[in-house]
Amino acid sequence: MEVLNEYGQILLILAIIFGVFMAWGVGANDVANAMGTSVGSGAITLKQAIIIAMIFEFAGAYLAGGEVTATIRKGIIDPLTLQGTPEYLVYGMLSALLAAGTWLLIASIVGWPVSTTHSIVGAIVGFAAVAISVDAVNWSKVSTIAASWVVSPVLAGTVSYMLFKSVQRLILDTEHPFENAKKYVPFYMFIVGFMITMVTLIKGLKHVFKDIGFSLNYFEMCLVAAAAGLLVALVGGAMLTRVKRNQAIESEDRFANVEKVFAVLMVFTACAMAFAHGSNDVANAVGPMAAAIATIKSGAVTAKSSMPAWILLVGGVGIVVGLVTYGYKVMATIGTKITELTPSRGFAATLGASATVVLASGIGLPISTTHTLVGAVLGVGLARGLAAINLRIVATIFTSWVITLPAGAILSIIFFYIFKAIFS
């Protein structure tokens, strides 16, 4: 307690700095994952992706990221076990933010798409193991999160594979692909409207609903999403009647006109995925920061900590800066290095990832946004045969996933002992 009274101001400033650093890492690594398919497929430019992400990631983080956040992310440890030593919780949260942020910086420099959630979870496990005890860690929860290494990519890959196969069968591998695109794309628009609305309701707006005392069960969400999907299909279908075939551009690419239709779809999926991602993953940065700040100000450990609007603002700004300054590296990995993407392939991958998020949230499966998107891109690549995939890049990505949890833990332990030596 004396430590918090004496060094409270310094620790508060460090919490904000490390929180921004972690948010920067989320922007540089995770946001790039969400936008990589759109950029890699050529549906939107890098500049357009950054503008879309700046608007919708920030809106998601600031408007829909503000639930009363549990002090420890994902229930990895019970914070009340540190009631006697609140300064340890502060050191731990600072260590976790700095460790996860450092790992995300390293991964972003080399272009590895890693999970920000796994980074922060690994960091919290590391500090908890040395600050409390190894037994204080909820290992069943950790093993469930680790299971998402397999669950996320396999589920998303399967959905995306089937989606792109349907696009090939109904549109691309037919005598009249452009006519069939205009015929079947409204159906895909319905699925896009449905899935994106579900992602937004489940991942994005749950905090807003909680704040105003409003709730929807899963069935009610499905009804709202179906109505939204129908609206998107009707509006999109009306817009498609105005799209005219330009035969001149088909001399080099038979599907050039078809891909233009899918490119329009990808703009919608990019906007909504950015909003849902911002609302969900900003918590990886602001959750530990809010816990540290609440403990410093009150001098005591609480089970939950409030989320002041200014913390969400700081998190949102950090995410945007991370994407603008360094997001292009991971975007290149997701969008161009795993397999060659076109708007139709990118659409199948993004929609497959969205569907996986909805499905997993509905049945309570642990998933990672990063792993889901990579799996979705792999699924689309496999639909064209194993030769369409860069297996060396895939092996590197999987290795980086396995390393993420222990890397976060080791860095966190080192930083925890440094903070303990400096301030205690």
Side-chain angles (χ1 to χ4, degrees):
M1 188 64 201
E2 294 78 15
V3 173
L4 296 183
N5 287 333
E6 189 176 348
Y7 299 109
Q9 200 65 34
I10 296 171
L11 292 169
L12 193 69
I13 292 167
L14 287 176
I16 295 168
I17 292 171
F18 296 161
V20 171
F21 179 48
M22 174 62 185
W24 179 92
V26 173
N29 200 286
D30 236 20
V31 179
N33 289 330
M35 305 304 290
T37 49
S38 302
V39 176
S41 66
I44 56 176
T45 64
L46 181 60
K47 185 178 179 181
Q48 288 168 334
I50 288 171
I51 292 169
I52 288 171
M54 282 172 69
I55 296 168
F56 288 93
E57 284 277 345
F58 183 81
Y62 187 66
L63 298 176
E67 70 174 326
V68 178
T69 305
T71 302
I72 306 296
R73 283 280 293 153
K74 304 288 183 187
I76 301 301
I77 64 168
D78 180 4
L80 298 180
T81 54
L82 288 165
Q83 273 183 322
T85 51
E87 67 273 15
Y88 280 15
L89 180 65
V90 175
Y91 301 159
M93 292 298 100
L94 293 180
S95 303
L97 287 169
L98 187 55
T102 301
W103 174 244
L104 289 174
L105 171 63
I106 294 167
S108 299
I109 286 171
V110 293
W112 290 342
V114 298
S115 170
T116 55
T117 303
H118 286 198
S119 301
I120 199 73
V121 165
I124 289 169
V125 166
F127 110 78
V130 296
I132 315 169
S133 71
V134 175
D135 295 333
V137 178
N138 185 346
W139 290 108
S140 64
K141 194 77 174 177
V142 175
S143 63
T144 304
I145 291 165
S148 71
W149 290 337
V150 178
V151 174
S152 299
V154 168
L155 196 57
T158 304
V159 174
S160 298
Y161 177 89
M162 291 190 296
L163 266 170
F164 188 64
K165 277 293 184 185
S166 74
V167 171
Q168 285 180 319
R169 186 181 178 87
L170 297 173
I171 299 170
L172 300 178
D173 295 342
T174 61
E175 281 188 44
H176 308 288
F178 181 70
E179 288 76 7
N180 284 329
K182 293 183 78 169
K183 180 181 175 182
Y184 291 112
V185 161
F187 170 71
Y188 289 115
M189 285 180 168
F190 171 80
I191 301 175
V192 168
F194 179 86
M195 287 301 174
I196 294 304
T197 304
M198 285 295 284
V199 169
T200 306
L201 289 172
I202 292 171
K203 289 276 191 181
L205 294 177
K206 64 178 180 180
H207 314 324
V208 175
F209 289 163
K210 186 179 282 188
D211 290 343
I212 61 175
F214 179 73
S215 65
L216 289 171
N217 60 37
Y218 198 74
F219 179 71
E220 289 167 338
M221 287 183 185
C222 287
L223 289 178
V224 173
L230 195 59
L231 182 64
V232 169
L234 290 171
V235 173
M239 290 171 66
L240 280 178
T241 59
R242 300 180 185 178
V243 178
K244 303 302 178 189
R245 183 179 179 184
N246 180 358
Q247 291 187 333
I249 64 173
E250 290 187 5
S251 57
E252 292 183 16
D253 181 4
R254 180 173 173 243
F255 304 117
N257 285 301
V258 176
E259 295 297 352
K260 278 167 63 179
V261 175
F262 279 102
V264 175
L265 273 177
M266 287 221 68
V267 176
F268 291 104
T269 56
C271 293
M273 282 297 284
F275 181 86
H277 178 269
S279 64
N280 190 59
D281 279 26
V282 71
N284 287 324
V286 300
M289 179 165 64
I293 290 170
T295 306
I296 292 164
K297 287 186 172 179
S298 65
V301 176
T302 56
K304 288 185 180 289
S305 52
S306 61
M307 185 65 69
W310 70 267
I311 291 183
L312 286 171
L313 185 66
V314 165
V317 169
I319 284 176
V320 168
V321 172
L323 175 71
V324 171
T325 56
Y326 229 85
Y328 65 92
K329 283 255 187 180
V330 177
M331 269 193 208
T333 301
I334 293 285
T336 61
K337 292 184 180 178
I338 296 174
T339 190
E340 185 186 346
L341 289 178
T342 60
S344 57
R345 295 170 201 158
F347 157 76
T350 310
L351 186 56
S354 305
T356 304
V357 170
V358 172
L359 182 63
S361 299
I363 58 180
L365 281 173
I367 60 153
S368 157
T369 312
T370 302
H371 300 176
T372 302
L373 279 156
V374 171
V377 172
L378 279 173
V380 169
L382 282 171
R384 294 163 52 233
L386 195 62
I389 294 173
N390 186 333
L391 294 176
R392 187 178 58 82
I393 289 291
V394 172
T396 304
I397 290 171
F398 274 91
T399 303
S400 73
W401 290 356
V402 175
I403 295 169
T404 294
L405 266 173
I410 292 165
L411 287 169
S412 183
I413 290 169
I414 294 167
F415 292 138
F416 178 81
Y417 281 121
I418 290 172
F419 288 128
K420 190 177 174 186
I422 293 171
F423 293 107
S424 295

